[in-house]
Amino acid sequence: MCIRFDRRAIYVRNDKANGYFKLGQWTGGGNTYICQNNRTKTSGDGSWVTCQWNWPKKNCYTKRTGYGQHEWYVTSPASGVKCY
């Protein structure tokens, strides 16, 4: 997962061959923004998905990454805090 602050965009890459979709989660100010790469190819295709939101700039945010299938997903512990 990569975040581009000047575009308010989240990028999520699928490069692991495990058959799950990949996701990135950006949380702050009572809102959660999730970007999901639905490509679940078993070979891991190296694709990137871009998601953009107009999230408020006057908050602090944490990010998480994760994976899952259509009825469930798992996220990592929150990593880092970004305030701007």
Side-chain angles (χ1 to χ4, degrees), residues 61-73:
Y61 294 90
T62 59
K63 73 176 187 176
R64 298 173 186 258
T65 58
Y67 64 92
Q69 291 183 341
H70 61 37
E71 67 275 331
W72 63 269
Y73 68 87

Side-chain angles (χ1 to χ4, degrees), residues 40-69:
T40 59
K41 297 178 182 175
T42 56
S43 62
D45 64 359
S47 65
W48 285 91
V49 169
T50 305
C51 303
Q52 288 184 292
W53 293 277
N54 191 18
W55 60 65
K57 287 189 173 183
K58 295 182 179 180
N59 285 318
C60 292
Y61 294 90
T62 59
K63 73 176 187 176
R64 298 173 186 258
T65 58
Y67 64 92
Q69 291 183 341

Side-chain angles (χ1 to χ4, degrees), residues 2-4 7-14 22 24 34-39 47-53 55:
C2 297
I3 299 173
R4 183 132 181 215
R7 294 184 183 174
R8 294 186 191 172
I10 297 172
Y11 300 86
V12 176
R13 181 177 167 93
N14 177 6
K22 311 309 183 275
I34 296 176
C35 185
Q36 183 173 308
N37 187 330
N38 288 328
R39 299 194 182 174
S47 65
W48 285 91
V49 169
T50 305
C51 303
Q52 288 184 292
W53 293 277
W55 60 65

